[in-house]
Amino acid sequence: MKTAIKLILVMILIVCMSSFTYNVVNEGYKIGDVVDDFSLKNINGEKVSLADYKDAKGYIVIFTCNTCPYAVAYEDRINQLNEIYVGKGYPVIAIMPNNPQIKPGDSFKAMQERAKKKGFTFPYLMDEGQTVYPKFGATKTPHVFVLQKEKNVPVVKYIGAIDDNYKDANAVKTRYVEDAVNALLKGAKITNTETKAIGCTIR
Amino acid sequence: MRKYAVIGLVAVLTACIGKNSKVQFASNELTVLEQSKTNLDSIKLDVFDFNGLKPLLNKKDDAIYVINFWATWCRPCVKELLYFEKLNREYAGKNVKVILVSLDFPHLYDSKLKPFIKDRKIKSKVVALDDADMNSWIPQVNEAWSGAIPATVIYRNDKRKFFEKSFTYEELENEVALFLK
C-alpha cells in the first residue's frame, strides 16, 4: 500500500511538472505611493476592501499562497503579526495572487482548507483575475507591503520581507515588518523601508 | 492513507485522460527513481553561505559563467533546467560554464535535491546556497533582483547581465552569444 502511494505521488509530481507558463511583472508601487483600494473575495466568499477597515491606521498587506515553501514557512509568523497588530490598528490582509489553473494547490477550496487548518486570524483573499498583484508590483510569495493611512488614503511605507530568517523563526535577528509598523506607531522613521528575500514567482 | 491514495489516483487519472504518452513517461521516471534511491553518496554537493559563493560570481578567467538560481520545488526553474543543461553540453567547447545554485531548504538536500541531481543526471555543476539573511546577499547578486526565482546571472570578467525571468533555450543562446564575441 505504501509503495502504491509513493508511486502515485511521484506520478502526480511528474504530471504536474510538465507544463507551466510564466509572466514577467515589472512596475508597481514604490515607497510613498498611494494604493488604490481593491475588492477581493475572502474564503467565505465575501468581498473585502481596505476601506472596510474604517478604524485602521494602516495595513500589513501580504501576498502569500499555499504552495510556496517559503510562504508556508512564514504562515505562523503571519498569524502572529496579525495577532500583535490588528489591535494596534494594522490588520494583516493576505492576498493569494497565483492563478489556480496553473497552481491547483492555490485553488479557492485549497485556500479555505489551509486557512482553516492553520487557523488564519486574518482575511485570506483571492486575487481573482490577477488584477491586484501587478498594481502592487508583487513578484513573489511571500511579499509584504506595509501601508499607512495618510488623510484617509493608504500610502506604501515598507516593501519586502517579513524578517531576516526564513528557516528558523527563533534565529531571527531583525523583524523588518514589526520594526516598520512599530516605527509608524511611534511616528518615527522606518530604518529599512525595502528589503529583499527569496520567494516563489507569482504565476 | 488510503484516502490520499484514492485522491492521488483520481488526480493522476484526471490529468492523464487522453495523454497516454505521459503515463508512459511517468512510469519510466518512476523506475529510475526507485533504482537510484540506494546510492546518493556519489552526489557531491558543495554547500556555501553567500561569502563562500561569492568567488563563483566574480571569476576573472575569461570563461563565460551562466549562474542560475533555482530550487527543486520551483516549477518554472525545473522546466528551464534542461535548457541550462543543454547549454552546458553544447557550449562547453566555447568556454561556457553553467553553475546551478540551489536554494532548496537544507533539510531537504538529501531527500530532495541529491535524488533530483542523480535522477535527472544533471551534468552542470550544482552548488547549494544556505544563507538565511537574504536581504544582505540578494542585492549583492544584483540590485534589481526582487528575490523571485528563477533568476540568472551571465558574466565574463567584468561584463555581466542579470535576468529575473524564465528562459527558453533560444533566449539563453542569444544572451550567451552576446558574451562570446
Side-chain angles (χ1 to χ4, degrees):
Chain A
M1 196 58 194
K2 268 195 174 160
T3 337
I5 292 163
K6 267 186 209 158
L7 294 186
I8 288 160
L9 287 178
V10 171
M11 283 166 80
I12 292 171
L13 199 71
I14 291 161
V15 171
C16 292
M17 276 177 170
S18 53
S19 61
F20 287 99
T21 51
Y22 171 82
N23 297 317
V24 182
V25 185
N26 290 317
E27 293 309 310
Y29 295 134
K30 304 276 183 293
I31 301 295
D33 283 357
V34 170
V35 170
D36 291 337
D37 203 352
F38 46 76
S39 176
L40 298 175
K41 192 168 76 174
N42 70 11
I43 53 159
N44 300 321
E46 300 148 357
K47 292 283 188 177
V48 173
S49 297
L50 295 178
D52 296 342
Y53 294 79
K54 298 214 174 355
D55 299 330
K57 293 175 190 155
Y59 310 87
I60 304 170
V61 176
I62 305 181
F63 291 88
T64 186
C65 68
N66 290 357
T67 51
C68 173
Y70 283 92
V72 171
Y74 273 108
E75 281 172 335
D76 293 338
R77 280 176 266 184
I78 295 173
N79 245 348
Q80 280 165 14
L81 275 176
N82 190 55
E83 278 156 24
I84 299 171
Y85 291 106
V86 70
K88 295 179 178 175
Y90 291 82
V92 166
I93 314 282
I95 302 177
M96 199 300 293
N98 290 319
N99 177 352
Q101 255 140 29
I102 296 173
K103 300 192 104 184
D106 286 324
S107 70
F108 187 61
K109 191 162 176 288
M111 284 173 62
Q112 290 174 318
E113 285 164 3
R114 195 68 197 164
K116 201 175 162 197
K117 187 173 175 210
K118 294 302 292 184
F120 285 173
T121 56
F122 49 84
Y124 190 25
L125 313 178
M126 176 169 244
D127 187 4
E128 253 175 326
Q130 299 186 300
T131 54
V132 174
Y133 91 79
K135 285 178 99 170
F136 275 79
T139 57
K140 62 195 159 58
T141 54
H143 202 158
V144 184
F145 295 76
V146 173
L147 316 179
Q148 161 104 325
K149 272 195 204 164
E150 289 179 354
K151 294 174 188 157
N152 222 23
V153 178
V155 174
V156 179
K157 292 293 176 181
Y158 169 82
I159 302 173
I162 292 169
D163 58 42
D164 67 358
N165 195 320
Y166 71 96
K167 279 194 300 188
D168 183 0
N170 297 320
V172 169
K173 292 195 196 85
T174 313
R175 301 171 197 279
Y176 303 121
V177 169
E178 289 188 31
D179 289 352
V181 181
N182 289 341
L184 292 173
L185 282 166
K186 280 191 287 189
K189 207 166 163 258
I190 297 172
T191 317
N192 294 304
T193 55
E194 283 188 77
T195 59
K196 298 287 178 69
I198 294 293
C200 307
T201 300
I202 295 170
R203 287 179 294 143
Chain B
M1 244 3 210
R2 190 170 285 244
K3 201 171 87 189
Y4 289 123
V6 173
I7 293 168
L9 199 59
V10 171
V12 169
L13 287 177
T14 318
C16 295
I17 288 170
K19 292 183 185 175
N20 285 329
S21 58
K22 227 167 232 171
V23 176
Q24 191 60 46
F25 170 68
S27 49
N28 285 345
E29 284 277 307
L30 202 62
T31 326
V32 178
L33 274 180
E34 294 219 319
Q35 280 168 354
S36 62
K37 254 178 206 143
T38 42
N39 189 11
L40 288 173
D41 299 342
S42 59
I43 304 291
K44 291 229 160 45
L45 181 70
D46 290 329
V47 180
F48 297 121
D49 61 8
F50 189 72
N51 278 334
L53 182 76
K54 233 174 171 175
L56 293 179
L57 293 167
N58 296 290
K59 297 222 178 210
K60 308 272 185 191
D61 58 6
D62 211 37
I64 297 165
Y65 286 89
V66 179
I67 317 276
N68 175 244
F69 292 86
W70 70 292
T72 58
W73 47 259
C74 162
R75 285 183 187 135
C77 305
V78 169
K79 191 183 169 193
E80 67 173 8
L81 215 59
L82 64 141
Y83 308 135
F84 286 89
E85 277 287 279
K86 191 174 173 190
L87 188 81
N88 190 52
R89 220 164 39 233
E90 298 193 352
Y91 283 74
K94 291 176 177 163
N95 211 11
V96 173
K97 293 176 182 175
V98 173
I99 300 174
L100 305 173
V101 181
S102 161
L103 291 162
D104 279 270
F105 288 71
H107 69 276
L108 298 176
Y109 289 161
D110 284 337
S111 60
K112 287 267 171 62
L113 181 57
K114 286 181 182 176
F116 184 95
I117 296 167
K118 194 174 166 71
D119 298 334
R120 305 242 172 179
K121 302 188 173 66
I122 305 289
K123 295 282 185 295
S124 308
K125 184 183 174 68
V126 180
V127 301
L129 175 58
D130 176 17
D131 197 327
D133 187 8
M134 301 185 285
N135 186 50
S136 71
W137 60 260
I138 288 172
Q140 292 185 61
V141 175
N142 192 280
E143 275 297 333
W145 189 11
S146 81
I149 55 172
T152 301
V153 175
I154 303 178
Y155 78 91
R156 179 180 198 172
N157 301 327
D158 290 328
K159 182 184 175 185
R160 72 176 57 221
K161 241 176 135 176
F162 173 79
F163 307 87
E164 182 174 324
K165 59 166 276 191
S166 292
F167 278 100
T168 64
Y169 186 64
E170 269 171 298
E171 288 168 341
L172 203 51
E173 266 194 314
N174 290 341
E175 289 299 342
V176 168
L178 299 175
F179 287 81
L180 278 169
K181 289 162 203 160

